[in-house]
Amino acid sequence: MRKISLIERVRRFGYGGIDVMAVFGRSALFLFHALLGRGGIGGGFGLLVKQLHSVGVMSLVIIVVSGVFIGMVLALQGFNILSSYGSEQAVGQMVALTLLRELGPVVTALLFAGRAGSALTAEIGNMKSTEQLSSLEMIGVDPLKYIIAPRLWAGFISLPVLTMIFSVVGIWGGSWVAVDWLGVYEGSYWSNMQNSVTFVDDVLNGVIKSIVFAFVVTWIAVFQGYDCEPTSEGISRATTKTVVYASLAVLGLDFILTALMFGDF
Amino acid sequence: MQNRTLEIGVGLFLLAGILALLLLALRVSGLAPTASTDTYKLYAYFDNIAGLTVRAKVTMAGVTIGKVTAIDLDRDSFTGRVTMQLEKRVDNLPTDSTASILTAGLLGEKYIGISVGGEETLLKEGGTIHDTQSSLVLEDLIGKFLLNTVSKDAK
């Protein structure tokens, strides 16, 4: 094995750094052109509706099912812990606050990255490797406008909607377990929740979180597809990257957003 | 035809989102559409407000009639000043009403309970409740209890 000189190591480190910065720059330019370049979404409303269907509506099943189960588990766990303090009527408030502030936005974003993000990456990556994107460009159609922009907007719109549905369904699932099964009094389940949950601090902050996550996850997914190597391995690598990067970004951003919103700085 | 079902699906999806937001607002956070204009302000000075927070409820006979909007320290008397917004429909509180800081359950939240006095004159906007009872601080209680046992032992 040849010994690598120190200066060579520094050079490789610098090369990697430039590479990372170049990716950031490309993705920022990409986002800018797709959202603001040359007059919004091409093909008008129809393309957006089609993408909303494949990104949003098709993700509904997994979101609703996991929402119900997460709400049920939260109620069950919360009941077990709270009943040892004799305050099991606070279970509604616990379920609602946990879902609205943290689990709703985060879990929905993670599921969305796995369900819709990976599909977006694979679809666009396949379009690239079969040279559909370059042929669109050849006939004078801007792929950023007709392919990318509708998908970006569909992601931005779908994820907040899915998050709200997730929270509602989770709270409903929690009430199902707590009230109908474990026998918490229904009135105290809801009134404790209403006393402690505030619309601006809890509901709106959760929605703001989900809007940020929607932006990041969709951006990563679409850019990884657009930027992937046009080969089978390239597409598979890009899809993996989408899920990994999007999940890490969501979890990291969640900490920062929580610190800003609830940290009392 | 295929486009139509697609559009209907998306429409239902967006409607479900709006419905979810409405449910979160009305059912979960209990956001009532009543405006906060029909309230009036009262002050109360407590020796110790320990644990009372802004937005805590103000009750009378167990019925919520308002909420705490601000808590600050009065510089001259070194007491905690609590500002409360009470509903206008409860405008017949006598001036010698008592405000006390209570706890819901063993570990529950703190809230203010108001009990009526017997005076003829009524509290008005910006009035002050003078008769107050401070929050029960567990450490003080234990301290008193210990002091009692010690002094008993000394005898």
Side-chain angles (χ1 to χ4, degrees):
Chain A
M1 208 176 92
R2 205 169 62 86
K3 198 164 175 289
I4 308 165
S5 70
L6 186 68
I7 202 84
E8 175 69 9
R9 280 177 199 225
V10 171
R11 189 191 70 82
R12 284 190 189 174
F13 186 65
Y15 179 79
I18 291 173
D19 224 33
V20 169
M21 289 325 285
V23 170
F24 272 111
R26 269 209 309 282
S27 62
L29 276 179
F30 161 83
L31 183 74
F32 183 77
H33 282 305
L35 291 185
L36 304 171
R38 284 159 286 181
I41 305 170
F45 207 59
L47 279 177
L48 178 64
V49 168
K50 196 155 172 263
Q51 288 310 317
L52 270 176
H53 183 262
S54 69
V55 168
V57 180
M58 302 302 277
S59 311
L60 209 54
V61 175
I62 186 174
I63 295 294
V64 168
V65 171
S66 34
V68 171
F69 277 110
I70 285 181
M72 280 162 61
V73 167
L74 275 178
L76 206 55
Q77 289 280 12
F79 183 84
N80 274 336
I81 296 167
L82 289 171
S83 63
S84 60
Y85 299 103
S87 50
E88 58 266 16
Q89 64 273 26
V91 72
Q93 142 187 8
M94 198 206 85
V95 169
L97 285 180
T98 322
L99 277 172
L100 288 172
R101 288 185 177 180
E102 287 300 328
L103 284 184
V106 171
V107 174
T108 315
L110 293 179
L111 288 173
F112 186 80
R115 165 65 183 75
S118 58
L120 283 176
T121 308
E123 190 187 9
I124 295 171
N126 195 36
M127 278 183 189
K128 191 179 180 188
S129 70
T130 52
E131 293 181 342
Q132 294 180 44
L133 292 185
S134 30
S135 29
L136 272 181
E137 246 170 290
M138 285 287 283
I139 58 173
V141 174
D142 186 4
L144 282 181
K145 204 167 136 188
Y146 281 86
I147 304 293
I148 305 298
R151 285 171 173 75
L152 277 174
W153 281 112
F156 296 166
I157 297 169
S158 308
L159 186 47
V161 172
L162 287 171
T163 304
M164 286 185 280
I165 294 174
F166 183 93
S167 298
V168 166
V169 166
I171 289 166
W172 175 76
S175 84
W176 201 34
V177 166
V179 175
D180 299 333
W181 185 22
L182 296 171
V184 175
Y185 175 55
E186 191 183 357
S188 53
Y189 182 89
W190 291 107
S191 71
N192 253 319
M193 188 186 294
Q194 289 175 355
N195 277 338
S196 58
V197 176
T198 53
F199 184 68
V200 175
D201 283 348
D202 299 319
V203 179
L204 279 193
N205 272 346
V207 173
I208 290 170
K209 266 188 182 179
S210 74
I211 290 172
V212 174
F213 294 161
F215 189 76
V216 172
V217 170
T218 324
W219 183 16
I220 290 176
V222 173
F223 177 71
Q224 288 296 343
Y226 192 73
D227 199 49
C228 79
E229 246 177 82
T231 57
S232 325
E233 297 106 66
I235 295 173
S236 103
R237 241 195 326 270
T239 315
T240 315
K241 269 189 198 164
T242 295
V243 176
V244 173
Y245 290 173
S247 309
L248 288 179
V250 165
L251 294 171
L253 271 176
D254 180 53
F255 175 73
I256 296 171
L257 287 175
T258 307
L260 286 178
M261 287 167 175
F262 304 108
D264 285 334
F265 286 133
Chain B
M1 197 57 217
Q2 217 247 320
N3 238 359
R4 224 175 99 84
T5 48
L6 213 121
E7 277 160 15
I8 292 171
V10 173
L12 286 178
F13 172 66
L14 294 178
L15 273 181
I18 295 168
L19 189 75
L21 186 65
L22 271 180
L23 273 177
L24 286 181
L26 299 178
R27 188 76 208 257
V28 176
S29 64
L31 193 75
T34 49
S36 57
T37 46
D38 47 357
T39 60
Y40 67 105
K41 211 183 268 183
L42 280 186
Y43 298 101
Y45 292 86
F46 291 94
D47 290 335
N48 191 345
I49 59 114
L52 190 75
T53 54
V54 175
R55 284 207 312 270
K57 59 185 175 182
V58 178
T59 66
M60 167 168 262
V63 182
T64 305
I65 55 167
K67 62 181 177 185
V68 174
T69 52
I71 296 173
D72 39 25
L73 186 75
D74 186 58
R75 271 202 63 190
D76 302 322
S77 61
F78 299 110
T79 50
R81 190 182 67 160
V82 173
T83 313
M84 298 175 279
Q85 293 276 5
L86 299 193
E87 288 169 22
K88 261 276 159 59
R89 61 189 168 86
V90 200
D91 58 352
N92 53 350
L93 295 179
T95 45
D96 62 343
S97 301
T98 316
S100 36
I101 299 180
L102 306 168
T103 312
L106 190 59
L107 295 164
E109 48 181 341
K110 302 270 190 208
Y111 64 98
I112 291 184
I114 295 182
S115 31
V116 245
E119 284 279 339
E120 296 279 305
T121 47
L122 300 177
L123 282 165
K124 287 190 196 63
E125 159 81 33
T128 306
I129 298 180
H130 295 283
D131 201 358
T132 62
Q133 200 173 17
S134 288
S135 172
L136 205 79
V137 180
L138 210 58
E139 286 88 336
D140 287 357
L141 269 187
I142 295 171
K144 271 180 200 157
F145 176 73
L146 283 179
L147 216 65
N148 266 344
T149 42
V150 167
S151 53
K152 259 181 209 156
D153 286 348
K155 272 177 203 168

